[in-house]
């Protein structure tokens, strides 16, 4: 599976400009890309003003992403602010090439900035099946909670994080992504935003891809750019058979 990681400077609460940027970049990709990964809240930045930017589920952003997915025959994943039943969600969308989609509401809300005061937490984990791969998509702060991301019965091949992770704690981002890859013997893809927001929070990006042993396939990069990586499922399965660490994992369930 060939994946494009798009790291860019999100323009604050400007959906039109951000969508135009994403459209131009995705349309410029080669036709052999299978999946495009975008940052958390890629149309607005990590805003605590959902009333200014929220959309219904079938709103402008979903329609734009569905159109791009169909035009390029690719899947696209990222999160944006969604309103449902008068509640706001930091909702991740995994949009398939035919325009169908699955969603995941961010479970762990970032209390340091009061995210839990304006958004509703998710309750259900999502595993997406796509082109023979099982993918577990999560959002930013979820990365700090390994129980939530823990693989169960080898039920995913790729652990994927979309994020708005600030530069001041980028060491934690790098360290935790590597830990998640090693402990779950899974490919890990992390896509973070770049730039500075109006709250003077700086984002250095550090989007990256790691293999099932914690080795970098794409090293953390700190500019506005697109990186492409091709993952090999056969090599993953060989490693899981040779180093059968997952067979010794504890059994548990999240309530």
């Amino acid at each position: 599976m060939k994946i494009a990681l798009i790291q860019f400077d999100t323009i604050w609460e400007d959906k039109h400009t951000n969508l135009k940027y994403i459209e131009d970049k995705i349309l410029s990709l080669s036709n052999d890309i299978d999946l495009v990964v975008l940052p958390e809240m890629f149309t607005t930045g990590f805003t605590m003003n959902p009333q200014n930017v929220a959309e219904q589920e079938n709103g402008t952003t979903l329609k734009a992403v569905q159109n791009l997915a169909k035009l390029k025959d690719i899947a696209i994943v990222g999160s944006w602010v969604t309103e449902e039943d008068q509640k706001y969600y930091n909702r991740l969308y995994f949009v398939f090439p035919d325009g169908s989609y699955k969603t995941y509401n961010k479970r762990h809300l970032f209390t340091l900035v009061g995210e839990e005061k304006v958004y509703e937490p998710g309750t259900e984990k999502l595993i997406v099946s796509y082109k023979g791969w099982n993918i577990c998509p999560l959002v930013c702060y979820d990365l700090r909670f390994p129980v939530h991301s823990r693989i169960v019965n080898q039920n995913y091949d790729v652990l994927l994080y979309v994020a708005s992770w600030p530069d001041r704690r980028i060491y934690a981002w790098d360290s935790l992504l590597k830990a998640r890859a090693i402990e779950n013997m899974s490919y890990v893809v992390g896509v973070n935003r770049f730039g500075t927001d109006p709250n003077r929070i700086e984002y250095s990006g550090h989007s990256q891809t790691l293999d099932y042993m914690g080795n970098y396939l794409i090293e953390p990069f700190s500019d506005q750019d697109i990186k492409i990586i091709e993952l090999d499922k056969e090599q993953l399965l060989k490693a899981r058979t040779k180093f059968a660490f997952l067979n010794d994992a504890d059994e548990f369930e999240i309530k």
Side-chain angles (χ1 to χ4, degrees), residues 10-23:
T10 309
I11 306 303
W12 190 252
E13 296 185 1
D14 187 342
K15 284 188 279 187
H16 175 77
T17 300
N18 292 319
L19 281 172
K20 182 64 170 63
Y21 179 88
I22 288 301
E23 177 181 324

Side-chain angles (χ1 to χ4, degrees), residues 5-39:
L5 289 65
I6 301 183
Q7 177 173 287
F8 73 105
D9 186 355
T10 309
I11 306 303
W12 190 252
E13 296 185 1
D14 187 342
K15 284 188 279 187
H16 175 77
T17 300
N18 292 319
L19 281 172
K20 182 64 170 63
Y21 179 88
I22 288 301
E23 177 181 324
D24 291 345
K25 294 303 179 184
I26 290 178
L27 291 177
S28 72
L29 294 172
S30 61
N31 292 327
D32 60 347
I33 302 297
D34 299 300
L35 174 63
V36 172
V37 187
L38 304 171

Side-chain angles (χ1 to χ4, degrees), residues 31-49:
N31 292 327
D32 60 347
I33 302 297
D34 299 300
L35 174 63
V36 172
V37 187
L38 304 171
E40 177 184 25
M41 292 193 187
F42 68 88
T43 58
T44 61
F46 187 56
T47 177
M48 296 301 106
N49 304 313

Side-chain angles (χ1 to χ4, degrees), residues 99-116:
S100 62
Y101 63 94
K102 293 183 180 294
T103 63
Y104 164 78
N105 293 324
K106 184 178 181 181
R107 177 181 174 93
H108 298 94
L109 301 179
F110 192 42
T111 55
L112 196 61
V113 298
E115 188 180 9
E116 83 288 355

Side-chain angles (χ1 to χ4, degrees), residues 127-143:
I127 306 291
V128 175
S129 294
Y130 176 58
K131 291 195 171 183
W133 292 76
N134 290 325
I135 303 168
C136 178
L138 297 171
V139 181
C140 202
Y141 194 44
D142 286 331
L143 177 59

Side-chain angles (χ1 to χ4, degrees), residues 163-177:
S164 291
W165 196 286
D167 180 67
R168 66 185 67 171
R169 289 182 293 278
I170 205 66
Y171 177 79
W173 164 259
D174 292 340
S175 301
L176 293 171
L177 287 171

